Amino acid sequence: MRWLVGWSSTAAGAAGAGSAGATGHDGETLHPVGSQLLWGDPDPLWAVGDWRPDEVRLITVDAQTRIAVLGVCGASDEQLRVGLLAARGGALRHLTAWSGSYTAVVQVGRRVTVCGDLAGARPVFHTPWAGGTAYATAALPLADLIEANLDFGHLAALLAAPDVPAALHDSTPYEGVQRVPPGHALILRAGAREVAGYEPVASLAVAAPAADPDSAVDAVRDALVEAVRARLSAPRHVPDIDPGPVPGMGPAERRAARGMPVPGIGADLSGGPASGTLALLAAGLPGVPGTLLGHGTGAGERLLAVTFNDLAVAGREAELERAGALAANPRLHHVVVTGGEDVLPYADLDGPLTDEPGPSLVTAARHRARLAAGSADHFTGYGARQVLDAHPARLADLLMDRKRRHLVRPVAALARADGSVTVPARVYGAARRLARTPYRSGLEGLAERLMHRRFDEPGGAVGASLAALTWARPGPAARWVTGEALAEVSVRLQRATGRAQLVGPGQRPGDHRARAALTRQAADLRVLEQAVEIRSQRLHAPFLDNQVVRACRALPEALRVQPGARGAILRTVLEGAGVGELPAGWGAPSHAPTAVAARTGLRVAVDGLIDLFGAPLLAEAGLVEARVVRKALRGAAEGEALPLDGLADLVSLEVWLRRLLARRGTCWTGTPGRARAVPSGVAPRRGALASGG
């Protein structure tokens, strides 16, 4: 893991007399373990972890005006300087408008500004501490600092309503540690904190100008190209030197056995449109990789394209065929990684502790097997579906904009999938109801559903679309959560209806649901990145970059809702970048093999999962009943129609809790052994599960 951590104290010199530290329990000086100091008192900032030299950039105008940018940032030093001067005057959006994925921290006198991203893949956390405010880009170091206990209300909301921002609000799994919402910045003034949004807010009074589809897709192309170029233009990173030969092993086998990535640039190539687009863009842009042998400097470095072939589950034959056709490009070096039952979901639940829980913990071994054959810099297509596809609730947005004719094609596609002539009327009626439902009513309806345990939803593609046509809905694991925990989540929702500004003025139900889905995907990718971390490897998800997210949000809704829109948009992006002749079936959706793999993995690992829930920590916390979960696991393994996503949420949260409580040590030096998160273990206060707002 890599993170930033610092604090702002109420008075100069209060944090530690010139030592860039702070006073601990016994008068010792606190420092993050494995850190490098970027600047010192009175408001120190550290970078912690194995940052590459080119990932840490510091620009200083004077002793009181400076900016630190950590991550991949395509801005030049002069652009950083201009952004720093703009931020000194209060303009924050400049700090978030460069290509790449990074965190910017600006210090102007005693004012410190930390910018989060739009998707939530690079979050910012904060907590009151020592009379001021400590902040970090990871929650666990702050939890260690204040010896935070678990926030059981947040954990209950993760199970009962993970896609509802009002239920989670700004809480984290650690009591007292808060999250800065996506699209916001944390501003500290001599210890006092403020959270401010940096995106312009739409107005309901004046309709936004109609976006031109062609120019909007061109903007997506330009943003993606710049995002890829920012990674390609960074210095090449060579992993640790191979210590030498091993009898019977070639260089590639030695690297894999020692957990070392291949030097250079690589990408996933699953056969889907998102990973294929990034692989072809990375291989086709001027410069290396993708330079043919004998053409220019650095020639002969091909982009390493990695395809995962699941031997235990069938159904991806068409995708593998498309991946093979794409890999015929001479600029690509294709590697196929095979996996059997040993890398099915739930097969291997051992791994490192991540900052937060996430459903991807149950599939970490599967992804680790693929990424072990990857490069030091590896592109992934995560987030493309969330930023490009239309959430079903966007149909209500079209009705609010009086664009009924654009509903014809998506509703017709649903009718063909269902084979019923009543589908158009049902979908139109649900979209119309949502368009006329205030957000407050939507939250109140969800709170009532949780209180009365109403979780039945229609099945099939049409049923899923109808269920999604609402402001908020229960999570797939909610049916297994205890009544007390559901009541606490319901109270959190009702408390949210009393907050002054629930959603931005002008935000519509479809846009709101799409942003929430993107935030959850970005958070789960962050968990996955930590769970499968391979030393010296960086995973890159350009679709989650600020500028790509902005460009995708500008796409007209009428374009998004058309069947096959994501594949068509990415095809146009590639054509605009000079890449043509894509294989047949490009952009065809395929979700079925993922569900089949989840069910197969559950069936193979069911005995171990039953043991895991023999005496679960979740039951000790009052969130579930062990007997109920064991029954659900057996039923799902035997083929019952239960929501597999919900079981993944339960298993991953139980695994994460066990790793957290088995942890020893702390993120800080100079602290007593007791100074770590959750020092007393799982000890819920009955009747007060929801400690946070």
Side-chain angles (χ1 to χ4, degrees), residues 388 487 625:
L388 289 173
E625 292 184 19

Side-chain angles (χ1 to χ4, degrees), residues 381-402:
Y382 290 106
R385 178 175 290 112
Q386 285 72 25
V387 297
L388 289 173
D389 285 11
H391 192 282
R394 286 193 184 272
L395 298 179
D397 296 1
L398 289 173
L399 285 181
M400 295 174 71
D401 291 337
R402 301 181 183 277

Side-chain angles (χ1 to χ4, degrees), residues 21 191 196 213 461 466 523-524 539 573 591:
L466 290 173
D524 195 43
L539 298 186
V573 165
H591 306 297

